[in-house]
PDB file of all heavy atoms in Angstrom:
ATOM      1  N   SER A  92       0.019  50.754 -54.977  1.00 77.00           N
ATOM      2  CA  SER A  92      -0.466  52.032 -54.426  1.00 77.00           C
ATOM      3  C   SER A  92      -1.982  52.250 -54.689  1.00 77.00           C
ATOM      4  O   SER A  92      -2.354  51.975 -55.802  1.00 77.00           O
ATOM      5  CB  SER A  92       0.441  53.178 -55.106  1.00 77.00           C
ATOM      6  OG  SER A  92      -0.220  54.426 -54.766  1.00 77.00           O
ATOM      7  N   PRO A  93      -2.699  52.718 -53.746  1.00 74.00           N
ATOM      8  CA  PRO A  93      -4.106  53.034 -53.885  1.00 74.00           C
ATOM      9  C   PRO A  93      -4.472  54.036 -54.974  1.00 74.00           C
ATOM     10  O   PRO A  93      -5.495  54.100 -55.424  1.00 74.00           O
ATOM     11  CB  PRO A  93      -4.602  53.316 -52.571  1.00 74.00           C
ATOM     12  CG  PRO A  93      -3.407  53.879 -51.759  1.00 74.00           C
ATOM     13  CD  PRO A  93      -2.255  53.137 -52.351  1.00 74.00           C
ATOM     14  N   SER A  94      -3.421  54.894 -55.272  1.00 70.00           N
ATOM     15  CA  SER A  94      -3.709  55.981 -56.312  1.00 70.00           C
ATOM     16  C   SER A  94      -3.250  55.473 -57.761  1.00 70.00           C
ATOM     17  O   SER A  94      -3.353  56.243 -58.481  1.00 70.00           O
ATOM     18  CB  SER A  94      -2.905  57.146 -55.897  1.00 70.00           C
ATOM     19  OG  SER A  94      -1.512  56.807 -55.722  1.00 70.00           O
ATOM     20  N   SER A  95      -2.775  54.143 -57.800  1.00 69.00           N
ATOM     21  CA  SER A  95      -2.399  53.794 -59.074  1.00 69.00           C
ATOM     22  C   SER A  95      -3.495  53.568 -60.076  1.00 69.00           C
ATOM     23  O   SER A  95      -4.674  53.170 -59.746  1.00 69.00           O
ATOM     24  CB  SER A  95      -1.717  52.322 -59.004  1.00 69.00           C
ATOM     25  OG  SER A  95      -1.334  51.906 -60.245  1.00 69.00           O
ATOM     26  N   SER A  96      -3.201  53.864 -61.386  1.00 63.00           N
ATOM     27  CA  SER A  96      -4.264  53.691 -62.370  1.00 63.00           C
ATOM     28  C   SER A  96      -4.022  52.460 -63.166  1.00 63.00           C
ATOM     29  O   SER A  96      -4.732  52.206 -64.144  1.00 63.00           O
ATOM     30  CB  SER A  96      -4.215  54.950 -63.298  1.00 63.00           C
ATOM     31  OG  SER A  96      -2.922  54.965 -63.853  1.00 63.00           O
ATOM     32  N   SER A  97      -2.963  51.772 -62.754  1.00 63.00           N
ATOM     33  CA  SER A  97      -2.796  50.513 -63.519  1.00 63.00           C
ATOM     34  C   SER A  97      -3.799  49.390 -63.297  1.00 63.00           C
ATOM     35  O   SER A  97      -4.314  49.367 -62.182  1.00 63.00           O
ATOM     36  CB  SER A  97      -1.366  49.917 -63.162  1.00 63.00           C
ATOM     37  OG  SER A  97      -0.262  50.900 -63.364  1.00 63.00           O
ATOM     38  N   SER A  98      -4.161  48.615 -64.263  1.00 61.00           N
ATOM     39  CA  SER A  98      -5.123  47.562 -64.092  1.00 61.00           C
ATOM     40  C   SER A  98      -4.569  46.062 -64.114  1.00 61.00           C
ATOM     41  O   SER A  98      -5.274  45.292 -64.296  1.00 61.00           O
ATOM     42  CB  SER A  98      -6.087  47.754 -65.225  1.00 61.00           C
ATOM     43  OG  SER A  98      -5.547  47.617 -66.547  1.00 61.00           O
ATOM     44  N   PHE A  99      -3.209  45.981 -63.956  1.00 67.00           N
ATOM     45  CA  PHE A  99      -2.686  44.745 -64.247  1.00 67.00           C
ATOM     46  C   PHE A  99      -2.464  44.012 -62.748  1.00 67.00           C
ATOM     47  O   PHE A  99      -1.911  42.932 -62.800  1.00 67.00           O
ATOM     48  CB  PHE A  99      -1.246  44.695 -64.913  1.00 67.00           C
ATOM     49  CG  PHE A  99      -0.334  45.723 -64.128  1.00 67.00           C
ATOM     50  CD1 PHE A  99       0.445  45.219 -63.013  1.00 67.00           C
ATOM     51  CD2 PHE A  99      -0.070  47.029 -64.571  1.00 67.00           C
ATOM     52  CE1 PHE A  99       1.398  46.002 -62.348  1.00 67.00           C
ATOM     53  CE2 PHE A  99       0.792  47.751 -63.827  1.00 67.00           C
ATOM     54  CZ  PHE A  99       1.503  47.288 -62.768  1.00 67.00           C
TER      55      PHE A  99
END
Side-chain angles (χ1 to χ4, degrees):
S92 170
S94 60
S95 173
S96 59
S97 302
S98 59
F99 58 82

